[in-house]
Amino acid sequence: MAFKEKRRIAVTGIGLVTPVGNSTEETWAALRAGKSGADQIASFDASGFSTTIGAEVKNFDREEAVPDKKLLKYASRSHAFALAAAAEALADAGVAPTPEDSHRWGLTVGAGMMSVAYDDLKVIHDYATDENGYFDADGMLKPDFPGNPVNFCRWQSNAGLGLLAKQFGIRGYATSVHTACASGGQAIGSALKAMRRGQCDRMLAGGFDSMLNPIGISGFCLLGALSTDNDNPEGASRPFDKSRNGFVLGEGAGFLVLEDWEKAKERGANIYAELAGDGNSLSAYRITDSPPDGNGPIQAIQQALGDAGVTVDEIDYINAHGTSTQMNDRSECAAMKAVFPDRIHDSIRVSSTKSCMGHLIAAAGAVEAAVCCLSIRDSIAPLNANHAETDPDCDVNLVLGEAKPGRIRAALSNSLGFGGSNSSLVFRNPEEVSV
Amino acid sequence: MKNASEKIVFTGSGIVCGAGAQVNDIWDVLESGETAVGPYSQWDGENWPVKVAAEVKENNRTLVPDRKLHKTISRTDMFGIYAAEQAIENSGVLAHRDGLDEAEQDGYNDRTGLVVGSGGGNYTSNYDYLPLITEAKGELHEFGKELSNQVTPMWLLKNLPNNVLCHVGIRGQLKGTNACITNQCASGIMAVAESASAIWNGEADRIVAAGHDAPFEPEMVYYYHKLGLMSGEAPKPFDKERSGTVFGEGAAAVVLEREEEAKARGAEILGEFLGFGCCTEATGILDLSPDGNGVQRAIEQALDDAELSPSDIGMICAHGNGTPASDLTESIGIREVFGEGIPPVTGFKWAYGHLIGASGIADLVMTLEALKREVLPGIGTLNEVDPDMGDFPVARTAVKPTSRNALVICRGFGGMNVVVVVRV
């Protein structure tokens, strides 16, 4: 296993499909303006659920986004987001796999939970349950049981990976990870490592998810994790605010094109940022609870800084995980304060863009990594929207009122997942790279 | 750069599958030539076209004694926790930690990683919603209203794909680098490969790698059968008459660490990780490249990574899932690399079925045992090797590996091919 000495990796393409826009620039403009993507859920009748609001992707035309009809047939809603975002990222990078180099292209994805569409479950219900609704396997053997193998393929854990590889002809290293809300960040971290060890020269890395369906939202409603501010959808996600009461479920996809720095330079590519470091830890505390003292997230942030060779004085922006749940926000703030004690209160700009987009679960880390790259490009930190009164435990330098301009030397993206996985990524301004 | 002096070794393993819950018991099944595939008990298969599987027979509480824990985990998680904790215990890494000063223990935990390959979920867990659909008479409004009266608040937590990562981490206080890989069949073996890479990269000093899956359930059987992937009897990998695969279930795990550290604490060394290859054929979800190019490239990458040539390999543990297309293309890919010098080939799915997400790592654990015993078990269900595979050296009876180096091949949906090289 030949490891290159910290090979430098460039971000040269970005693609986004989010609740605030179906492209990178649309999303980015909305985030700078603090525009919310949350509303009453429109894609199904959510009126009976304890939470009726969500941040849905809007006006997304599957057929237009994924021209390959055969492929689209196998694509779930989140796969279609992924195919669209990945296509935008590759077009933005101006490079794509060719038959000659496709084996040197890799693919890592943070994929959503393998869940089942309500309609598919309804089919099982209608054919294979007894009068009380308990499953009876033999019902599936009825001659008219409409079970469709295409639907089955769609729900396989690496179906999205398979579709993306086929669509773009990627034939090298490929993997799919799921560490709940940390998935997207871990996918990009995994890509960084695969590139550093020389397995790929270019990679497509990102995440996709859509749990805004009856079964997906049920799990979170049961846990009581979602905001129930049903009469105030746009203001429901308010990370670090004293009155926050849960997260707003979002959906979408984000992809980055990662490239060997030299190869990107050679072809004159536009470089958004250097993907400089990855940190990764397990809180090993509780399943959904976050460690109040930040033990776990602290190690991930420190590792990412160390890996990047970036000091605590060089981080100018943190895109926080900031879910808008009390425990997560406090734990993350404790970690940020522990790592950046001198600068977190007044000089590092901090925002959670979940305040606008909601929580994209397995896609969150990837989309937020892209936000860090765009912040570096435009020297501006996007807004932490919906803020009235700061939780005293979250007294960090939040970007309030409007997006805060100012050069960003390096940015940090945190993703903290259910199950205790913590992922931190560091992006460096390309002007700060001395080769 | 890979430091040639920095060897990565396996110091503990754990496994549970239909053939047993200890390496020795499973070995006995492999050597006996008698498959553990048989009639199943999880539902009544009388009317089903597939009436066999390799079910885990151990009692839930035998595998995971903690009664409370069972409320927050699913069947597949139970296998994963069992195998991971068996590997941890056999390796002695946490016993070693517990002998350290308290201050040193924190540092040790931060440098101990956990990488899990997970099946990613299952269908039956969603059936918890079926009575609610009945109650709601199919109306979503009622479904939402009655939700909390019908379904356990723990539902999501019970079904998180990364549950094994979470629980083994909490129970063992493993706090270092981690990942949960949901790459269908490739999940478990990728956990091993990523663990070795992470240690080489300095991200951790030791990592527990586990893979678990419980694919055997009605909907899976139904669709695999409908897709023509399922046999009605124990699979016959590479046989002229092979007709498909059969599900097993279970988990396997290994502890990887630097040889230097393993030796310093006097650990028993089970084998060495030499390298891996991983690629996709870019053929979509189910399709396979007819020329076996993914298998070929993954083997070539793995040999390159291990700095070995084909002639150094003394045995191959093939994916051999028993489906016509996969076995044939696998044999083609192997031949492309080895030409006329193919080492002895075997595979274990005939004995304990296809563990899907856990299959590659289970095969790896048993391959280490085969190398240790210098015995390559035969394929007990084999009658006649498919003549389309040419002179393909797969045997019904045991042979001796021709060297201490083995390849483990794992293939999966998404055109995935992963190959790991190990030495004992």
Side-chain angles (χ1 to χ4, degrees), chain A residues 109-113 176-180 183 209 361-362, chain B residues 160-162 180-182:
Chain A
V109 301
M113 253 177 102
S176 174
V177 302
H178 181 95
T179 40
S183 305
D209 209 347
I361 312 295
Chain B
L160 287 175
N162 51 325
C180 174
I181 298 163
T182 50

Side-chain angles (χ1 to χ4, degrees), chain A residues 1-6 44-50 70-71 74 102-103 111-116 118 120-122 124-126 128-135 137-138 140-141 145-149 151-163 165-166 169-180 186 190 193 196-197 199 211 214-223 278 280-288 295-296 299 303 307 417-422, chain B residues 1-3 43-44 47-49 72 110 114 118-124 126-127 129-131 133-135 137-148 151-157 159-163 165-167 169-170 173-185 187 190 193-194 196-198 200-201 203 218-220 222-224 226-227 273-287 293 297 301 304-307 412-416:
Chain A
M1 189 167 301
F3 278 109
K4 299 274 191 300
E5 197 53 56
K6 288 266 164 103
F44 64 96
D45 177 6
S47 61
F49 289 84
S50 51
K70 194 169 166 242
L71 207 71
Y74 287 92
S102 62
H103 65 289
M113 253 177 102
M114 174 192 144
S115 68
V116 165
Y118 177 82
D120 291 348
L121 195 59
K122 184 77 168 36
I124 293 288
H125 175 268
D126 293 349
T129 52
D130 65 16
E131 69 277 15
N132 295 317
Y134 290 98
F135 180 66
D138 277 7
M140 295 183 70
L141 304 177
F145 176 71
N148 184 349
N151 293 356
F152 169 79
C153 292
R154 187 180 298 150
W155 301 118
Q156 295 306 299
S157 67
N158 69 351
L161 185 80
L163 294 175
K166 182 167 189 187
I170 294 171
R171 293 167 71 237
Y173 170 92
T175 201
S176 174
V177 302
H178 181 95
T179 40
Q186 292 215 334
S190 300
K193 292 171 197 169
R196 282 208 186 130
R197 63 186 185 240
Q199 271 179 313
M211 296 186 80
I215 304 300
I217 203 169
S218 287
F220 292 116
C221 284
L222 287 163
L223 268 182
D278 166 70
N280 188 354
S281 72
L282 197 59
S283 294
Y285 182 66
R286 287 176 192 159
I287 312 172
T288 50
N295 184 336
Q299 291 91 320
Q303 280 174 29
D307 191 35
F418 272 2
S421 288
N422 309 303
Chain B
M1 279 297 190
K2 174 172 154 184
N3 183 347
W43 78 93
D44 181 359
N47 299 318
W48 280 67
T72 55
D110 283 342
L114 175 59
S118 160
N122 54 12
Y123 288 90
T124 49
N126 296 297
Y127 301 167
Y129 291 102
L130 293 176
I133 296 176
T134 298
E135 171 93 9
K137 301 191 170 60
E139 294 299 322
L140 263 180
H141 178 80
E142 282 302 306
F143 181 97
K145 263 178 76 178
E146 291 301 315
L147 175 67
S148 57
V151 184
T152 165
M154 301 301 283
W155 186 86
L156 184 67
L157 299 188
N159 295 297
L160 287 175
N162 51 325
N163 254 348
L165 183 65
C166 171
H167 288 292
I170 290 172
Q173 285 300 296
L174 316 177
K175 299 186 68 174
T177 194
N178 66 92
C180 174
I181 298 163
T182 50
N183 198 349
Q184 213 255 345
C185 290
S187 304
M190 280 299 284
E194 298 290 1
S197 300
W200 261 316
N201 195 30
E203 293 159 44
E219 226 171 316
M220 288 284 281
Y222 176 86
Y223 285 111
Y224 264 68
K226 197 156 180 171
L227 289 164
F273 181 95
L274 298 178
F276 81 101
C278 164
C279 70
T280 166
E281 297 174 5
T283 42
I285 300 172
L286 293 181
D287 290 349
N293 83 71
R297 288 188 294 123
Q301 285 174 16
D304 190 42
D305 196 27
E307 294 168 2
F413 286 0
M416 287 302 306

Side-chain angles (χ1 to χ4, degrees), chain B residues 405-416:
Chain B
N405 305 316
L407 287 187
V408 180
I409 301 175
C410 182
R411 313 186 71 193
F413 286 0
M416 287 302 306

Side-chain angles (χ1 to χ4, degrees), chain A residues 87-110:
Chain A
E88 187 190 13
L90 287 164
D92 183 36
V95 64
T98 64
E100 289 69 43
D101 71 3
S102 62
H103 65 289
R104 296 292 299 163
W105 273 81
L107 174 62
T108 60
V109 301

Side-chain angles (χ1 to χ4, degrees), chain A residues 291-430:
Chain A
D293 57 359
N295 184 336
I298 291 173
Q299 291 91 320
I301 297 170
Q302 287 174 335
Q303 280 174 29
L305 294 172
D307 191 35
V310 162
T311 68
V312 290
D313 293 325
E314 290 170 283
I315 296 289
D316 290 319
Y317 172 59
I318 299 177
N319 187 293
H321 186 60
T323 56
S324 182
T325 63
Q326 204 172 42
M327 254 182 321
N328 169 82
D329 290 359
R330 286 184 176 164
S331 177
E332 186 176 14
C333 284
M336 290 190 286
K337 287 192 243 180
V339 179
F340 306 98
D342 302 327
R343 299 182 61 240
I344 199 68
H345 299 287
D346 47 24
S347 57
I348 300 177
R349 286 161 282 171
V350 180
S351 64
S352 165
T353 41
K354 289 187 180 74
S355 55
C356 296
M357 290 190 284
H359 192 341
L360 275 58
I361 312 295
V367 170
E368 290 158 15
V371 170
C372 286
C373 295
L374 294 163
S375 303
I376 288 172
R377 180 191 71 180
D378 292 349
S379 296
I380 193 163
L383 196 56
N384 192 88
N386 297 329
H387 201 82
E389 189 183 346
T390 305
D391 176 338
D393 286 333
C394 301
D395 54 337
V396 297
N397 181 34
L398 295 169
V399 181
L400 302 177
E402 57 184 359
K404 285 274 183 309
R407 194 167 177 278
I408 293 166
R409 291 166 293 169
L412 172 74
S413 175
N414 291 333
S415 297
L416 319 174
F418 272 2
S421 288
N422 309 303
S423 158
S424 291
L425 298 169
V426 171
F427 294 88
R428 184 189 273 118
N429 191 318

